[in-house]
């Protein structure tokens, strides 16, 4: 059990350091990463306009639930948005793991969450986007739907919309995904490939869950619970999303011809064969679901996230695409926004723009790569085929549970190495990473530039003195 509430350290909007030189950012893409950039940049004083090509800022996300890890909720806490998040999300206290028999439970350690400064939460993806949109506009950002960008100027200082309107920019942020115009500009050879896994994604209303005596136990728990089922080449996760207690349900299996995107929606009858032989609760969930079938794609990161002009940078899935259904994808986009804005809070001169953008990629790239590998590794770990390895894993988890221990707690058996690594990631502080770079490198560059200016000034004065004497 957790020992009381987790403290929420707040840095707030008002206390954020404001940039001396405030510039205009045009953000292409109105997903969570783009909207988070608008919030973060407005916090530090920059202008921000978000351009979304769709008719609204929700789209298919209204049918999806997402999980937020502590490194993500910590940023909202720092931004003074904990109450807003609390209104639309719910805190998850524990995980129950099954196969289909019970393997054990794991309660999140209070000290670990306290140190991380955040919690595990779940909510509708559409509610997350609406909250970010509302906050961005409250802070003075401009947000436009039906605003498709069809051309980016050669110098990356303006964009042309499908309507013909030209919008000028000091800096363009590409938050329009792995197949968007910004990614194609920097990486025209980019292509998608299957990870080997496909996801069935669904949301089931709470009233339909409560109508079934067996399914209602998923919600009638002393603690808010995420349910995980391991299986032979398939796995499943479900969790309540927000105050409504609707259930978000993910079902993973080997990819057998799924498509990218969210338009391939199955009926319960079409979905039933995929859950054949699974435990009864999963089959009951399947009878209530109309899931979207999505290929979990992989896409190499572009070599350069920053355009040669030094006026365009990629963020979120445009820079580091994550497949749907994983836990770290949403948090990486929010971390991007936090790091980028913190760097640009130090902006005093346009000559700093290019170094700041390169610093952003240097600070973010390795972490995003590691977390992507971890996310996919965790999914394959749940789907590991029957064999000696899975038997040993299950036996050790059950032994821990019988001893009254958390089954994902670290020890020497090597069985939970991946989750131990997960725990280390939750303490990441995006703003601290940017500040550390500024102290170690940014200020150093500032001093070097100041020294060169002073040297040039002295040389100029000496030259003038020589010329006067010579005359």
């Amino acid at each position: 059990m957790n020992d009381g509430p987790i403290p929420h350290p707040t840095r707030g909007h008002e206390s954020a350091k404001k940039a001396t030189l405030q510039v205009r950012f045009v953000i292409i893409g109105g997903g969570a990463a783009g909207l988070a950039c608008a919030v973060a940049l407005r916090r530090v004083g920059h202008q921000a306009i978000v351009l979304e090509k769709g008719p609204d800022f929700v789209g298919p996300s209204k049918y999806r639930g997402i999980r937020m890890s502590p490194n993500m909720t910590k940023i909202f806490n720092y931004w003074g948005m904990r109450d807003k998040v609390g209104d639309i999300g719910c805190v998850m206290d524990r995980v129950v793991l099954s196969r289909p028999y019970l393997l054990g439970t794991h309660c999140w350690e209070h000290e670990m969450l306290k140190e991380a400064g955040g919690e595990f939460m779940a909510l509708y993806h559409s509610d997350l986007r609406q909250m970010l949109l509302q906050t961005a506009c409250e802070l003075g950002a401009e947000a436009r739907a039906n605003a498709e960008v069809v051309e980016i100027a050669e110098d990356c200082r303006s964009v042309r919309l499908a309507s013909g309107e030209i919008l000028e920019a000091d800096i363009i942020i590409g938050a329009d995904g792995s197949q968007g115009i910004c990614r194609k500009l920097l990486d025209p050879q980019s292509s998608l490939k299957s990870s080997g896994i496909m996801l069935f994604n669904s949301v089931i209303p709470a009233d339909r869950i409560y109508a079934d005596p067996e399914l209602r136990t998923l919600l009638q728990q002393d603690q808010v619970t995420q349910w995980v089922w391991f299986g032979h080449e398939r796995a499943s996760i479900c969790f309540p999303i927000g105050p409504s207690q609707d259930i978000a349900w993910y079902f993973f299996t080997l990819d057998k011809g799924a498509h990218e995107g969210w338009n391939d929606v199955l009926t319960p009858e079409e979905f039933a064969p995929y859950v054949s032989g699974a435990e009864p609760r999963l089959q009951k969930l399947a009878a209530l679901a109309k899931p979207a079938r999505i290929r979990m794609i992989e896409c190499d990161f572009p070599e350069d996230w920053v355009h040669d002009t030094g006026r365009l940078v990629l963020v979120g899935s445009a820079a580091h695409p994550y497949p749907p259904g994983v836990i770290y994808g949403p948090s990486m986009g929010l971390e991007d926004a936090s790091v980028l804005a913190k760097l640009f809070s130090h902006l005093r001169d346009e000559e700093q723009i290019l170094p700041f953008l390169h610093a952003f990629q240097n600070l973010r790239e390795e972490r995003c790569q590691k977390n992507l590998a971890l996310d996919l590794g965790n999914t394959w770990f749940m789907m590991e085929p029957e064999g000696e390895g899975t038997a040993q894993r299950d036996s050790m988890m059950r032994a821990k549970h019988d001893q009254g221990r958390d089954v994902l707690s670290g020890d020497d058996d090597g069985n939970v190495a991946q989750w131990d690594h997960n725990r280390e990631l939750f303490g990441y502080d995006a703003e601290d990473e940017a500040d550390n770079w500024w102290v170690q490198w940014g200020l150093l560059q500032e001093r070097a530039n100041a020294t060169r200016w002073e040297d040039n000034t002295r040389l100029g004065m000496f030259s003038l003195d020589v010329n006067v004497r010579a005359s």
Side-chain angles (χ1 to χ4, degrees):
M1 297 286 290
N2 287 344
D3 304 321
I6 303 298
H8 303 126
T10 300
R11 296 170 184 171
H13 301 312
E14 297 79 9
S15 62
K17 169 185 167 58
K18 301 298 188 287
T20 302
L21 175 62
Q22 297 176 1
V23 298
R24 176 179 171 85
F25 286 83
V26 169
I27 302 166
I28 302 176
L35 292 168
C37 283
V39 171
L41 290 165
R42 285 300 302 147
R43 291 181 74 248
V44 300
H46 294 294
Q47 301 173 51
I49 177 170
V50 185
L51 305 175
E52 167 57 40
K53 70 178 182 180
D56 56 45
F57 286 84
V58 176
S61 69
K62 61 187 174 182
Y63 304 114
R64 291 150 51 191
I66 64 165
R67 297 163 292 165
M68 301 194 300
S69 51
N71 52 300
M72 183 174 182
T73 55
K74 165 167 48 188
I75 295 173
F76 287 127
N77 295 342
Y78 284 168
W79 290 356
M81 296 173 63
R82 178 59 178 80
D83 289 344
K84 286 187 175 184
V85 176
D87 287 342
I88 59 176
C90 62
V91 175
M92 294 190 292
D93 300 308
R94 68 168 184 167
V95 180
V96 174
L97 300 101
S98 302
R99 186 181 159 76
Y101 47 82
L102 179 66
L103 292 174
T105 65
H106 186 93
C107 295
W108 308 120
E109 299 170 14
H110 185 270
E111 286 305 312
M112 183 269 286
L113 296 176
K114 181 179 178 181
E115 182 179 348
E119 299 150 303
F120 287 90
M121 297 187 71
L123 70 168
Y124 272 101
H125 192 259
S126 56
D127 288 343
L128 172 65
R129 290 174 68 167
Q130 284 293 139
M131 179 193 69
L132 287 168
L133 174 63
Q134 178 186 8
T135 304
C137 293
E138 288 171 351
L139 292 172
E142 183 181 352
R144 297 194 198 178
N146 291 311
E148 181 180 4
V149 174
V150 295
E151 184 181 2
I152 297 173
E154 188 174 344
D155 62 359
C156 294
R157 299 298 298 270
S158 66
V159 301
R160 181 169 63 86
L161 304 184
S163 65
E165 183 181 1
I166 305 293
L167 296 174
E168 295 184 352
D170 294 307
I171 302 167
I172 297 172
I173 295 178
D176 52 342
S178 61
Q179 300 299 294
I181 188 173
C182 296
R183 172 65 183 262
K184 290 178 180 177
L185 182 63
L186 269 77
D187 186 18
Q189 304 304 316
S190 173
S191 61
L192 304 177
K193 60 181 179 180
S194 174
S195 67
I197 304 171
M198 62 182 177
L199 165 69
F200 297 89
N201 181 90
S202 184
V203 172
I204 302 173
D207 58 353
R208 304 197 70 186
I209 299 295
Y210 276 110
D212 186 288
E214 191 171 17
L215 291 181
R216 72 175 63 142
T217 61
L218 299 174
L219 295 173
Q220 292 177 331
Q221 299 288 318
D222 293 335
Q223 297 169 284
V224 179
T225 300
Q226 177 181 196
W227 301 84
V228 178
W229 288 269
F230 295 1
H232 176 77
E233 297 182 342
R234 59 186 182 180
S236 185
I237 298 173
C238 78
F239 50 90
I241 43 178
S244 68
Q245 289 196 306
D246 294 342
I247 286 282
W249 186 33
Y250 302 156
F251 191 86
F252 306 91
T253 187
L254 298 181
D255 184 7
K256 298 178 180 177
H259 306 285
E260 291 84 34
W262 297 86
N263 296 324
D264 183 15
V265 178
L266 277 62
T267 65
E269 293 74 23
E270 292 171 324
F271 184 35
Y274 293 98
V275 295
S276 176
E279 75 141 276
R281 286 180 299 180
L282 290 178
Q283 295 191 51
K284 286 187 174 184
L285 287 173
L288 300 176
K290 293 181 179 179
R293 176 172 53 188
I294 312 112
R295 171 174 290 165
M296 294 182 65
I297 57 92
E298 291 185 78
C299 182
D300 293 335
F301 291 8
E303 182 176 350
D304 297 310
W305 297 9
V306 181
H307 192 267
D308 290 341
T309 59
R311 295 292 177 152
L312 184 151
V313 65
L314 304 179
V315 303
S317 59
H320 44 79
Y322 276 60
V326 298
I327 192 170
Y328 291 122
S331 69
M332 293 301 99
L334 198 67
E335 287 181 3
D336 284 353
S338 184
V339 169
L340 188 66
K342 192 64 175 179
L343 290 170
F344 275 87
S345 71
H346 300 289
L347 189 67
R348 291 199 286 263
D349 190 288
E350 286 200 4
E351 290 187 359
Q352 294 174 301
I353 292 175
L354 182 59
F356 283 1
L357 295 182
H358 284 310
F360 169 75
Q361 179 176 354
N362 290 337
L363 289 170
R364 297 296 300 145
E365 187 171 18
E366 182 179 0
R367 176 170 170 81
C368 292
Q369 287 175 333
K370 286 183 177 179
N371 286 1
L372 174 58
L374 182 63
D375 262 332
L376 289 173
N378 283 340
T379 307
W380 283 113
F381 179 72
M382 294 187 296
M383 295 173 56
E384 188 174 347
E386 298 280 2
E388 184 177 345
T390 54
Q392 183 180 29
R393 175 197 66 193
D394 297 349
S395 176
M396 289 180 174
M397 285 188 177
R398 295 183 71 183
K400 284 183 182 180
H401 180 67
D402 291 343
Q403 295 165 13
R405 300 169 58 195
D406 288 330
V407 296
L408 298 176
S409 58
D411 53 28
D412 297 329
D413 62 25
N415 197 41
V416 291
Q418 280 189 304
W419 199 263
D420 284 344
H421 189 59
N422 286 355
R423 294 175 71 247
E424 295 176 9
L425 297 174
F426 301 147
Y428 177 88
D429 190 307
E431 291 194 1
D432 281 355
E433 288 295 309
D435 271 341
N436 289 341
W437 178 88
W438 172 248
V439 171
Q440 294 175 18
W441 300 105
L443 285 173
L444 186 66
Q445 185 64 45
E446 289 267 293
R447 296 188 186 105
N449 290 341
T451 300
R452 282 197 298 272
W453 183 86
E454 291 172 0
D455 289 345
N456 290 337
T457 301
R458 284 195 296 269
L459 287 171
M461 292 176 66
F462 177 74
S463 174
L464 176 62
D465 185 55
V466 169
N467 291 335
V468 169
R469 289 177 185 274
S471 63

